Amino acid sequence: MSIRRLSQLQWIGFLVGGPIWFLEFIAGIGASEAVCNPASGRWGVPHDAVQLGLMVFAALCVLVALVASVVVFRETYAVEEQDPPPHGRIHFFSAASIGGNVIFLAIILLTGIATIVDRTCHQA
Amino acid sequence: MTDVAVDARARERLSLGWWGVAMLIATEAALFAMMIGSYFYLRFKNAHWPPPGVPEPKVVVPLVLLGVLMLTAFPMWRAARSATPRRWLLLALFVQSGYFAMEVSDFQDDLHHFTPQQHAYGSIYYTLLGADHGHVAVGLLLNAWLLWKLLFGMTEYRRKAIRAIAFYWYAVIVLTIVVTLTVTSPAFAR
Amino acid sequence: MTSTVAERVGRLERQWAERPGVLGWLTTTDHKRVGLLYFWTTLVFFGAGGVEALIMRSQLIKANNSLVGPEVFDQLFTVHGMTMIFWFIIPMTTGAFGNYLVPLMVGARDMAFPRMNALSFWIFVASGIFLYIGLFSGFGPDAGWFNYVPLADRHFDPSRNIEFYTLALAFNSIASTLTSANLIVTILKLRAPGMSFNRMPLFCFAFLAASFGLIFALPSLSVDLLFLYLQRNLGFHFFDAAHGGSSFLWQHLFWFFGHPEVYILIVPAFGIATEIIPAFTRRKMLAFPLVAIAELLVVFIGFGVWAHHMFATGLPSTTLVFFAGATSMVVIPSTIQVFAWTMSIYTGRPKFRTPLLFIVGFIVMFVAGGLTGIMFLAIPFDQQVTDTYFVVAHFHYIIFGAAVFPIFGGMYYWFPKVTGKLYFERPGQISFWIIFVGTNLLFFPMHIVGLLGMPRRVYTYPGDMGWTSYNLVESIGGYVTAIGILVLFANLVVSYFRGAPSGPDPWHGPTLEWSVPSPPPEYNFAVIPTVSSAYANWDSDDRERDGHRLTAGVGTLERGHEQHVSSLIDGWTAEIVDMPHASPWPILLALALSLLFAMLVITKFMFAAIFLVIVALTLLGWHGKEPQER
């Protein structure tokens, strides 16, 4: 794989997961608030369907980022931790991104399942 | 002439001033994101938005003015790349000032119909718009400063300054798009 | 050959020399001087916050005490919280440690924006004076550091106390924002050639994370403060339900800032730990990429947990489970770091000098505080212990353990670098043990007394609740901690005057600050350093190469105040720039801003507008002089 392609995949792996999780997170909270307020509840937002859609979309994006990170990690397996750029930097970010994307995926799944399974608008 | 050469592999060579403006934009974008979040949060809490007695927001004039402001991105972009930036800066400043004057007039006109002290709708409406107009005003001052500096000729510092301030304007334009769509949204979706 | 080196160094010394005397300090833009100014000033505020704590503990030492009344107590706990967070920990970590060390660690001669650095210090000082003018004139903020509405609104808190809250914090947040922007651009753009991200010290990752956190979190607080100021002083309605507002809005905006803030408090301290451990275990940090990403992730995921501070407010559970889920996962990056630190110590050859002792103490306290934190993510449990002393125990274990202990450890670790002297080891170790025992005596019983039902923020309590003996132990613990802290500072002061010379590198430290003299010269590096790893000072080939380059005059950048600027990702040389030096504009601008804020406290808007114009004119003057062309 060319260094250019490796670098692109590395950035996808590093930069996609976090923003996607955060946007899905805010959208999910927003949807929940939109449904569960008396003033906006009459808009008829289908809570569980929206949350399912958000969860699936976000999970797929983060999965793609995770796969990209793993591919780059394997391609640069022989590179040492403190090697010069760009290979050292690429390997470093791919290793770091694997950790990050796994955690983002876990949060997306945990929160998505919890909010769907829970009784909508039941006061905690 | 210096004893350390620029590395050919350095593809990103934006100035420190540009990065400073980037940090400012990041923090101001977060500021506006919180205000817009507050707008929608308050909207969720109110059955009638705008409340009874308050007219629905105008749509045509704000969107036309927005379009005019968006067009000024072009002269700012040209100014950042041109050997004769002053004409482009003058054009941008002229149109941006006209935009600003119209917005101030609209703001004052709105105040005759409803005030921020009546209801949360007015409070968030005027605060959000006021913050946006404030950022436009700062942009006007920055352009005026650039034009004044350029009266004394072009230097590398001033070239970097034009680029950085153009970047500020692109951000203000994007901010204004989001703010305008937010405050006109009650007219689109009840 | 030698005389050529001496000539070069002499040239650098002359060009970078500071003005002598007080004027030199008032107009300094040197990051080391600004860092020292932050250091001493934050210690004054630490003392103030400590005195506030001791008065509170003296009031609570027995039931039905009347040392101070409820109004004063309210101001004490509010100002104690505000002072410790905004005027001690944040400025001590980002302002003192960050400013002093980050340029040295990345191989730069100063921060990216030296004058803005000085400005942020003077604004910070002014904001603290602001707050304490409020306190000493009887108008201290008194609605808690989180200042909930409607208690903080005009109806329940009509006088100026809350204006001192809103404006002191707003003013302070400008200083923090400027420092954060400076740290980010310095770390991204001023790295020495060859310092790509995988070769950057973990300390810099931590400060990058904290700075990004501040950039994105402070605006939420600013918006909240703006809304409150407008509501209280101009009759706006954001938080009152009668006019379409919501008091929840205050809480959401506050905690969207407030939670990242607490990670911002501890992440720089993680950075300090990740430098002390390699130095005193003589091995590189385990799992370097995971520790680096963990430092960034703690802050990033920390933006998604804010409403775990609102589990007891009656929000729907479908909303709250988002926060419970994110809170459960935000623990993972912290845990990764704890494993890396402990395994690095275990598999290294540790020398338990004072700095490492404080780091071990930090790990113990942080794990304890983290465990109680995990307990809170269970919504039912949280609803039982909200507003009790259990919460107070949790956050003090975290803040004292995870922020203050590394700060103390860092003071000892970098003392030789800053002063050129060695501290006295025995008193150092004694100070650690007294503080460790004291803080556990002080904060551990709070868990128990909280579970026994003692609420927070009460100025006294009845004698028949079974809380008295725990409070007695806590107060004794407070006094013991204070003694330990006094021993620590006494040791540092005596060491400054009587300590043995340290030389440049007493610990054989891993990072670049140990490759320059102690204390470092104004220009930091005579030659821009070559970097091949995150432990640059352990790469003796590179340091030798630097010596040859100095002799040959390559990379010495002696024409004015020259600074090397790198490309963003891989640190290639992008340009050489001329940096600003001593300037009066920062302190003048801070003065103009102070007067502007003072006018806002007393709601004199006409005068505020006049000072706004003066601010604009000062900025014009600031940008009057342009850098030399290259």
Side-chain angles (χ1 to χ4, degrees):
Chain A
M1 208 181 279
S2 73
I3 198 76
R4 213 174 110 88
R5 173 70 80 220
L6 269 178
S7 196
Q8 282 168 350
L9 284 176
Q10 175 242 284
W11 287 118
I12 289 171
F14 184 67
L15 292 175
V16 163
I20 287 284
W21 161 70
F22 194 69
L23 288 170
E24 182 262 348
F25 193 78
I26 296 296
I29 291 162
S32 190
E33 283 288 295
V35 167
C36 298
N37 272 296
S40 50
R42 60 193 167 84
W43 294 349
V45 175
H47 179 265
D48 289 353
V50 166
Q51 299 291 7
L52 184 65
L54 286 170
M55 179 180 79
V56 168
F57 172 73
L60 284 173
C61 291
V62 173
L63 213 51
V64 164
L66 181 59
V67 165
S69 319
V70 170
V71 163
V72 173
F73 184 80
R74 288 175 58 153
E75 285 286 316
T76 56
Y77 199 68
V79 174
E80 294 283 334
E81 196 175 270
Q82 303 285 296
D83 268 2
H87 288 92
R89 177 257 299 172
I90 290 173
H91 184 69
F92 166 79
F93 275 121
S94 68
S97 308
I98 292 172
N101 287 321
V102 166
I103 295 175
F104 291 132
L105 191 59
I107 306 178
I108 289 165
L109 293 174
L110 274 175
T111 53
I113 293 168
T115 197
I116 292 168
V117 161
D118 195 23
R119 277 179 287 161
T120 310
C121 301
H122 169 248
Q123 195 173 44
Chain B
M1 209 186 58
T2 179
D3 59 317
V4 176
V6 169
D7 197 309
R9 291 168 292 185
R11 284 205 312 268
E12 178 274 319
R13 292 215 283 268
L14 294 159
S15 71
L16 292 180
W18 188 95
W19 282 101
V21 170
M23 291 296 109
L24 175 71
I25 288 168
T27 206
E28 297 299 290
L31 194 92
F32 276 90
M34 302 322 296
M35 279 199 273
I36 287 166
S38 303
Y39 181 95
F40 286 107
Y41 188 80
L42 289 169
R43 190 172 175 182
F44 292 166
K45 297 285 181 196
N46 284 277
H48 303 284
W49 187 268
V54 176
E56 256 192 16
K58 292 173 285 208
V59 171
V60 177
V61 170
L63 288 180
V64 166
L65 284 177
L66 176 66
V68 166
L69 187 70
M70 286 167 73
L71 288 174
T72 65
F74 178 70
M76 289 308 300
W77 180 77
R78 286 306 314 262
R81 274 155 189 74
S82 165
T84 51
R86 282 208 307 218
R87 62 194 66 178
W88 293 109
L89 281 173
L90 264 167
L91 173 62
L93 183 58
F94 181 69
V95 178
Q96 288 156 350
S97 303
Y99 163 86
F100 184 70
M102 296 261 359
E103 286 288 356
V104 169
S105 162
D106 265 354
F107 196 87
Q108 286 174 325
D109 183 60
D110 280 336
L111 280 167
H112 287 132
H113 296 108
F114 66 105
T115 65
Q117 286 85 0
Q118 282 169 277
H119 188 271
Y121 175 84
S123 301
I124 189 68
Y125 176 90
Y126 287 109
T127 307
L128 192 51
L129 269 183
D132 187 36
H133 296 337
H135 282 73
V136 170
V138 166
L140 297 176
L141 290 173
L142 288 171
N143 275 5
W145 173 77
L146 271 176
L147 279 164
W148 177 61
K149 277 277 186 181
L150 287 172
L151 281 175
F152 305 102
M154 176 61 98
T155 62
E156 190 53 35
Y157 173 79
R158 289 163 199 172
R159 190 178 303 282
K160 288 176 180 174
I162 300 172
R163 263 204 117 157
I165 289 170
F167 183 35
Y168 175 81
W169 269 110
Y170 306 148
V172 167
I173 288 168
V174 169
L175 235 39
T176 307
I177 293 170
V178 180
V179 168
T180 307
L181 290 177
T182 301
V183 300
T184 54
S185 64
F188 298 120
R190 264 146 210 87
Chain C
M1 287 299 241
T2 319
S3 63
T4 316
V5 169
E7 274 168 18
R8 293 190 205 293
V9 168
R11 212 153 28 228
L12 285 167
E13 298 268 331
R14 277 191 306 277
Q15 275 155 1
W16 288 80
E18 293 277 325
R19 279 200 195 102
V22 174
L23 198 61
W25 285 93
L26 293 177
T27 58
T28 189
T29 57
D30 174 21
H31 70 102
K32 298 180 290 298
R33 283 197 166 194
V34 173
L36 285 172
L37 286 171
Y38 263 108
F39 181 76
W40 296 317
T41 318
T42 54
L43 285 181
V44 172
F45 287 117
F46 183 50
V51 166
E52 285 147 13
L54 287 174
I55 297 174
M56 285 193 284
R57 281 307 339 152
S58 304
Q59 163 63 14
L60 292 170
I61 196 167
K62 59 180 192 183
N64 299 310
N65 204 3
S66 52
L67 181 66
V68 292
E71 289 85 8
V72 172
F73 196 87
D74 285 352
Q75 293 188 30
L76 282 173
F77 68 69
T78 304
V79 178
H80 165 78
M82 292 171 74
T83 302
M84 289 308 202
I85 292 172
F86 296 99
W87 279 274
F88 170 55
I89 297 191
I90 297 284
M92 175 62 90
T93 52
T94 57
F97 283 86
N99 272 329
Y100 198 103
L101 293 166
V102 165
L104 284 164
M105 284 200 190
V106 299
R109 284 191 167 153
D110 208 319
M111 297 282 274
F113 307 111
R115 289 178 298 181
M116 194 169 83
N117 204 13
L119 174 68
S120 72
F121 170 71
W122 294 114
I123 290 178
F124 155 72
V125 172
S127 70
I129 293 172
F130 212 78
L131 175 69
Y132 276 86
I133 286 176
L135 182 67
F136 291 138
S137 59
F139 290 114
D142 57 357
W145 86 280
F146 40 78
N147 206 57
Y148 278 6
V149 291
L151 178 64
D153 201 357
R154 267 282 168 227
H155 182 79
F156 292 108
D157 214 323
S159 48
R160 218 163 275 154
N161 309 50
I162 304 301
E163 270 61 54
F164 276 101
Y165 176 91
T166 47
L167 291 163
L169 276 184
F171 205 17
N172 178 279
S173 69
I174 297 176
S176 287
T177 305
L178 294 176
T179 301
S180 304
N182 222 342
L183 282 168
I184 291 171
V185 180
T186 305
I187 291 168
L188 293 183
K189 292 288 292 175
L190 295 194
R191 306 194 306 269
M195 192 183 278
S196 51
F197 282 111
N198 61 312
R199 291 164 157 190
M200 189 169 80
L202 290 168
F203 184 93
C204 299
F205 277 102
F207 278 76
L208 193 63
S211 300
F212 268 117
L214 282 165
I215 290 277
F216 289 113
L218 280 169
S220 190
L221 178 67
S222 303
V223 168
D224 226 3
L225 297 173
L226 173 67
F227 286 177
L228 184 63
Y229 185 85
L230 290 172
Q231 175 153 322
R232 284 177 58 92
N233 295 291
L234 291 175
F236 282 46
H237 299 288
F238 295 102
F239 306 121
D240 50 330
H243 293 94
S246 168
S247 53
F248 277 124
L249 182 60
W250 170 272
Q251 295 189 33
H252 278 297
L253 286 171
F254 185 85
W255 289 115
F256 187 89
F257 152 77
H259 194 87
E261 170 75 355
V262 305
Y263 286 123
I264 288 160
L265 291 176
I266 60 180
V267 162
F270 291 172
I272 294 173
T274 52
E275 293 309 326
I276 290 178
I277 290 173
F280 288 93
T281 56
R282 290 162 285 173
R283 62 150 295 153
K284 298 182 178 179
M285 182 65 65
L286 266 168
F288 181 93
L290 289 181
V291 175
I293 194 73
E295 284 170 350
L296 299 170
L297 280 175
V298 161
V299 174
F300 190 82
I301 300 174
F303 273 94
V305 303
W306 79 88
H308 69 209
H309 299 270
M310 297 165 68
F311 278 167
T313 54
L315 287 175
S317 55
T318 36
T319 307
L320 293 180
V321 292
F322 278 94
F323 300 100
T327 307
S328 67
M329 290 291 105
V330 81
V331 173
I332 309 287
S334 302
T335 315
I336 290 172
Q337 292 191 72
V338 170
F339 275 123
W341 299 325
T342 41
M343 283 300 111
S344 297
I345 296 173
Y346 186 72
T347 59
R349 292 169 292 144
K351 280 207 284 207
F352 288 100
R353 297 273 163 81
T354 308
L356 190 61
L357 278 181
F358 271 105
I359 298 306
V360 172
F362 141 67
I363 293 172
V364 169
M365 304 275 288
F366 177 54
V367 169
L371 287 171
T372 52
I374 298 172
M375 292 163 73
F376 286 125
L377 79 89
I379 299 175
F381 176 78
D382 182 280
Q383 290 178 342
Q384 286 298 304
V385 295
T386 286
D387 281 346
T388 69
Y389 259 83
F390 194 88
V391 181
V392 179
H394 158 72
F395 66 69
H396 279 100
Y397 261 83
I398 293 285
I399 294 184
F400 213 109
V404 181
F405 269 62
I407 286 172
F408 289 158
M411 284 184 199
Y412 276 111
Y413 178 57
W414 279 292
F415 182 85
K417 177 51 56 184
V418 174
T419 61
K421 304 276 181 67
L422 286 172
Y423 63 83
F424 292 106
E425 182 62 37
R426 199 82 204 277
Q429 302 215 1
I430 291 170
S431 71
F432 164 73
W433 285 109
I434 300 176
I435 294 172
F436 186 74
V437 167
T439 48
N440 280 286
L441 271 178
L442 169 55
F443 298 123
F444 190 80
M446 290 184 182
H447 293 106
I448 304 170
V449 85
L451 289 173
L452 289 176
M454 182 172 176
R456 291 171 71 170
R457 298 173 237 127
V458 291
Y459 83 106
T460 192
Y461 52 92
D464 55 351
M465 300 298 293
W467 301 336
T468 316
S469 47
Y470 295 106
N471 274 281
L472 175 64
V473 172
E474 289 163 18
S475 296
I476 292 170
Y479 303 136
V480 171
T481 306
I483 291 169
I485 292 172
L486 288 172
V487 170
L488 185 154
F489 285 110
N491 185 17
L492 293 180
V493 169
V494 172
S495 302
Y496 179 74
F497 290 108
R498 298 255 186 92
S502 65
D505 191 9
W507 316 125
H508 197 40
T511 39
L512 279 173
E513 75 274 23
W514 301 105
S515 71
V516 298
S518 301
E522 272 85 9
Y523 51 86
N524 292 348
F525 301 96
V527 62
I528 301 303
T530 324
V531 170
S532 335
S533 80
Y535 306 94
N537 196 44
W538 288 351
D539 296 329
S540 35
D541 294 342
D542 283 340
R543 305 284 64 79
E544 222 178 279
R545 203 167 293 136
D546 283 348
H548 296 142
R549 285 166 67 229
L550 176 59
T551 312
V554 174
T556 48
L557 302 182
E558 315 158 40
R559 293 179 198 80
H561 298 111
E562 289 188 297
Q563 168 62 49
H564 166 272
V565 176
S566 57
S567 66
L568 175 65
I569 307 299
D570 290 330
W572 310 123
T573 305
E575 64 177 317
I576 307 295
V577 294
D578 180 47
M579 297 299 261
H581 203 48
S583 166
W585 292 111
I587 195 170
L588 290 174
L589 182 55
L591 192 59
L593 279 168
S594 306
L595 293 165
L596 168 61
F597 273 88
M599 292 304 114
L600 290 174
V601 166
I602 56 177
T603 57
K604 295 266 184 272
F605 297 118
M606 210 50 236
F607 286 111
I610 292 172
F611 284 115
L612 189 60
V613 172
I614 294 177
V615 164
L617 290 171
T618 316
L619 279 168
L620 216 58
W622 176 307
H623 290 93
K625 190 166 155 226
E626 295 184 14
Q628 290 177 47
E629 296 283 289
R630 284 272 154 267

